[in-house]
Amino acid sequence: MASTLASKMGLNSLRRRQARNFNVKIVTVDADLEFSCEVLDQDVPKEEPIILNFLAKFYPENIEEELVQDITQHLFFLQVKKKILEEEVYCPPEASVLLASYAVQAKYGDYDPSVHKPGFLAQEELLPKRVINLYQMTAEMWEERITVCYAEHRGRTRDEAEMEYLKIAQDLEMYGVNYFFIRNKKGTDLLLGVDALGLHIYDPENKLTPKISFPWNEIRNISYSDREFAIKPLDKKADVFKFNSSKLRVNKLILQLCIGNHDLFMRRRRVDSLEVQQMKAQAREEKARKQMERQRLEREKHLREEAERARDELERRLIQLQDEAHMANEALMRSEETADLLAEKAQIAEEEAKLLAQKAAEAEQEMQRIKVTAIRSEEEKRLIEQKMLEAEMLALKMAQESERRAKEADQLKQDLQEARESERRAKHKLLEITSKTPYSAPSLSPSALPPDLSFSTENLSFDFKDTDMKRLSMEIEKEKVEYMEKSKHLQEQLNELKTEIESLKLKERETHLDILHNENTERGTSKQSNFKKVSSPSELSAQPDFTREFCLY
């Protein structure tokens, strides 16, 4: 396979060094070179320096079987990666992230959070710019997603990671396809794609899906005359597909690619030559040797990790034992300090016991004195009991007096009710009399009035019993004073409450009634003042006669 990787692998670092050292224009050669001729004798620019890019001209059909040597695989990996990043080969976004994770595994090895901290991929070119611009994601977000996939590749070597990268890349639609602009017999612009499997005809706007394909095993012959190509299928009944290209150099390249890919296609389906078999056997032996070496290293690594874990466990146990010993020493010191404190407390307790014994003796003496004093106070106790008995008798008398006064109050209420009933009957009688003679004073005899009511035409007065009226007047006056005091206290409470909540009031939510109430309050107008104002004699005089009669009632 090494013979098929003829030319073109990019050396960007060499290009940058030469640009810095010579400060001259760099010329890149993209032409195919012939091994039999000198470079400068071929169709290359004559300016210096000349940058030669060595690239694979013919792509393998099955990467895992055909890329035998590790160096060949690594160079081909770099070529495919470069084409994907430069968007010469279309790669969907999800596949781009996965390929980037394998590229990171191949470069950095296994993921280690302590080493590969956030930002370690900031300077790496891992994704095509088309993918980056397609999403509203920051570089940190892309790095996070690549790192998640990268952590799953633990244990893969560089060769294995590169091989996984190439196995994914070979399934891309544009992998290994060389595109050329052509025209058919009708003059329609088309794209010709040449790869390891055959020839494909594309629409210029769609490089992913071919309109028609000619596998190498179905092509009988490809003829080239002047600038016209003719593809003849094995089926003689099928039409011959003809196309042409405007450039002679491009026609030669197309012919070379067709011949080379067709030859490789046929060779892959034949038994390998002895040389290739030897190379593959050596490659298998090398892979087996590397696998055994890797397994040995894995075992050693595992044993080393086990030893390190055992050492860490012993160190942890040693530290734990040291901590326990330190804690035991501290506990011993605390116990010694506690013993000293207990000794001091025992001495203090002994002294307190002596003091308590002394106080007990003093208390005994005090008890003897109290007993003597108690004997003397027996007589005083009898006197106190006598006074208590007198107080109880006085309280009984006061309770009886209170009961008597309560009965009197009930009698007064009953008398007041009877007086009001008599007044009502008198008023009713008077109303009947006045209704019969509305314009002349009635001439009533004292015998026509109730027994407890006397009527005088001069002053129109009602006389009750003097004792009842005086008592009734006193009760009414007392209730009036109490009511005035309660009203004053209530008004003060209302004013205080209004002052407290005034700052929290929302003026815009006041109703019409709230506004009227505030205006009345500012004018000092209340329900009682309105009632007095309406009931004043000056206003009553303006009313008709029947209103005055009603007010009299």
Side-chain angles (χ1 to χ4, degrees):
M1 187 61 202
S3 61
T4 63
L5 300 176
S7 51
K8 298 184 180 178
M9 175 51 66
L11 302 175
N12 293 329
S13 59
L14 176 62
R15 182 186 302 178
R16 288 193 294 269
R17 284 200 302 271
Q18 289 176 339
R20 287 196 301 269
N21 295 337
F22 299 102
N23 193 20
V24 295
K25 181 180 179 182
I26 297 174
V27 179
T28 303
V29 178
D30 292 329
D32 291 334
L33 301 180
E34 296 292 340
F35 294 148
S36 59
C37 302
E38 295 184 0
V39 174
L40 296 180
D41 292 340
Q42 301 185 46
D43 186 14
V44 297
K46 303 300 187 240
E47 301 180 17
E48 294 184 358
I50 301 174
I51 303 301
L52 302 179
N53 295 323
F54 294 94
L55 302 175
K57 184 175 183 180
F58 303 105
Y59 281 70
E61 185 178 339
N62 189 329
I63 290 177
E64 192 170 11
E65 293 183 1
E66 297 181 44
L67 297 183
V68 178
Q69 298 179 349
D70 293 339
I71 183 61
T72 306
Q73 174 184 304
H74 177 65
L75 294 176
F76 191 66
F77 161 76
L78 294 178
Q79 175 179 339
V80 174
K81 177 185 173 185
K82 180 174 180 293
K83 285 186 173 294
I84 291 176
L85 293 179
E86 292 178 354
E87 301 182 21
E88 294 182 21
V89 174
Y90 173 80
C91 184
E94 60 278 5
S96 299
V97 174
L98 184 58
L99 292 177
S101 66
Y102 279 113
V104 174
Q105 177 71 21
K107 182 174 182 179
Y108 292 96
D110 290 342
Y111 174 68
D112 187 355
S114 61
V115 177
H116 306 121
K117 297 181 180 180
F120 78 105
L121 298 178
Q123 304 300 324
E124 298 288 339
E125 185 180 3
L126 299 173
L127 297 173
K129 290 183 173 55
R130 171 186 55 80
V131 175
I132 297 175
N133 297 331
L134 188 61
Y135 296 91
Q136 294 181 348
M137 294 173 61
T138 61
E140 292 77 11
M141 297 170 68
W142 283 116
E143 179 179 333
E144 180 182 357
R145 280 154 179 78
I146 294 173
T147 305
V148 171
C149 298
Y150 167 41
E152 297 177 357
H153 305 329
R154 174 175 293 276
R156 295 183 184 273
T157 63
R158 189 195 75 169
D159 296 338
E160 292 175 346
E162 291 178 350
M163 178 57 67
E164 292 297 327
Y165 186 102
L166 293 174
K167 285 163 68 175
I168 296 173
Q170 74 177 354
D171 293 332
L172 300 177
E173 291 88 344
M174 295 176 63
Y175 163 82
V177 181
N178 293 285
Y179 295 95
F180 303 94
F181 284 100
I182 61 172
R183 289 182 180 178
N184 59 9
K185 293 186 296 184
K186 297 180 181 179
T188 304
D189 291 332
L190 298 171
L191 279 178
L192 173 66
V194 184
D195 65 1
L197 298 178
L199 298 177
H200 313 280
I201 308 300
Y202 297 86
D203 187 281
E205 302 297 328
N206 184 1
K207 292 184 178 182
L208 300 181
T209 307
K211 299 177 67 174
I212 185 173
S213 296
F214 300 95
W216 294 121
N217 59 349
E218 295 182 5
I219 297 177
R220 179 166 52 90
N221 184 23
I222 298 177
S223 61
Y224 169 62
S225 175
D226 194 10
R227 294 184 179 181
E228 185 179 69
F229 282 87
I231 302 174
K232 298 178 181 180
L234 285 177
D235 187 3
K236 296 182 179 181
K237 296 181 180 180
D239 296 333
V240 176
F241 182 78
K242 296 183 180 181
F243 62 90
N244 60 71
S245 176
S246 59
K247 296 181 179 179
L248 180 61
R249 180 166 167 259
V250 173
N251 293 338
K252 291 181 179 180
L253 181 57
I254 293 173
L255 185 60
Q256 291 176 5
L257 289 174
C258 290
I259 295 172
N261 279 299
H262 181 268
D263 181 53
L264 290 173
F265 181 84
M266 301 306 295
R267 286 170 57 183
R268 292 186 188 107
R269 283 145 182 83
R270 292 197 297 263
V271 179
D272 293 333
S273 63
L274 183 60
E275 181 183 1
V276 174
Q277 291 179 7
Q278 291 177 352
M279 291 176 60
K280 288 185 177 181
Q282 292 176 358
R284 285 194 295 269
E285 292 175 359
E286 184 68 19
K287 287 183 179 180
R289 186 185 63 79
K290 288 184 177 180
Q291 183 69 20
M292 293 177 62
E293 182 70 17
R294 186 161 57 250
Q295 291 177 357
R296 185 181 63 81
L297 292 175
E298 287 292 333
R299 286 195 301 269
E300 292 179 356
K301 181 179 179 182
H302 180 70
L303 292 175
R304 184 171 62 253
E305 290 176 351
E306 289 290 337
E308 291 177 354
R309 282 196 292 269
R311 184 194 62 189
D312 294 339
E313 179 65 22
L314 291 175
E315 291 178 353
R316 186 187 64 79
R317 183 61 180 167
L318 177 60
I319 294 173
Q320 183 179 358
L321 292 174
Q322 291 176 351
D323 292 340
E324 291 177 356
H326 182 66
M327 292 173 64
N329 290 331
E330 290 182 351
L332 179 60
M333 294 176 62
R334 285 197 298 270
S335 62
E336 292 176 353
E337 293 175 357
T338 304
D340 295 339
L341 290 175
L342 290 175
E344 293 178 1
K345 288 183 178 180
Q347 184 178 358
I348 294 172
E350 185 177 355
E351 293 177 357
E352 289 179 351
K354 291 180 180 179
L355 291 175
L356 289 174
Q358 182 180 355
K359 289 183 178 180
E362 293 177 356
E364 184 68 23
Q365 294 177 0
E366 184 67 19
M367 286 179 62
Q368 295 296 331
R369 188 182 63 78
I370 290 172
K371 287 180 181 179
V372 174
T373 306
I375 294 172
R376 295 177 182 174
S377 56
E378 283 293 334
E379 188 172 348
E380 295 178 358
K381 181 179 179 181
R382 287 194 297 271
L383 293 174
I384 291 173
E385 289 178 354
Q386 185 177 357
K387 289 182 179 180
M388 289 176 62
L389 183 60
E390 293 177 356
E392 289 177 357
M393 294 296 293
L394 180 59
L396 180 60
K397 290 181 181 180
M398 291 179 68
Q400 292 175 354
E401 182 67 19
S402 175
E403 184 178 358
R404 185 181 64 78
R405 290 183 178 274
K407 291 180 179 180
E408 290 181 357
D410 293 338
Q411 184 64 34
L412 287 174
K413 290 180 180 179
Q414 185 176 0
D415 294 343
L416 178 60
Q417 187 175 2
E418 292 177 356
R420 287 178 177 173
E421 182 64 23
S422 299
E423 181 182 3
R424 187 186 63 78
R425 288 196 302 270
K427 287 182 178 181
H428 182 67
K429 186 67 174 177
L430 181 60
L431 180 60
E432 290 178 356
I433 295 171
T434 54
S435 62
K436 291 179 181 179
T437 56
Y439 300 105
S440 62
S443 58
L444 298 176
S445 64
S447 59
L449 297 175
D452 55 348
L453 180 66
S454 62
F455 176 78
S456 175
T457 57
E458 295 178 357
N459 52 12
L460 194 62
S461 63
F462 302 95
D463 296 330
F464 299 95
K465 296 178 181 180
D466 295 339
T467 305
D468 295 339
M469 289 302 295
K470 289 179 180 179
R471 186 168 62 250
L472 182 61
S473 298
M474 291 176 66
E475 293 290 337
I476 293 173
E477 188 65 25
K478 182 178 179 181
E479 292 178 359
K480 183 177 180 181
V481 171
E482 292 178 355
Y483 174 75
M484 292 298 292
E485 291 178 356
K486 291 181 179 179
S487 299
K488 183 178 179 181
H489 180 66
L490 179 61
Q491 189 64 33
E492 291 176 355
Q493 287 182 335
L494 291 175
N495 292 334
E496 183 179 356
L497 179 60
K498 180 179 179 181
T499 304
E500 292 176 356
I501 65 174
E502 185 67 24
S503 61
L504 304 176
K505 184 170 68 175
L506 298 175
K507 295 290 186 180
E508 63 274 10
R509 296 186 180 179
E510 286 186 336
T511 62
H512 180 64
L513 295 177
D514 293 332
I515 297 173
L516 294 178
H517 172 73
N518 293 335
E519 292 176 354
N520 291 338
T521 303
E522 293 175 359
R523 290 198 300 265
T525 305
S526 64
K527 179 179 179 180
Q528 289 78 12
S529 60
N530 288 334
F531 180 75
K532 292 178 181 179
K533 183 177 180 180
V534 172
S535 301
S536 61
S538 59
E539 294 186 5
L540 287 176
S541 60
Q543 300 296 329
D545 292 340
F546 65 85
T547 306
R548 295 179 63 186
E549 292 173 2
F550 180 77
C551 291
L552 180 62
Y553 167 69

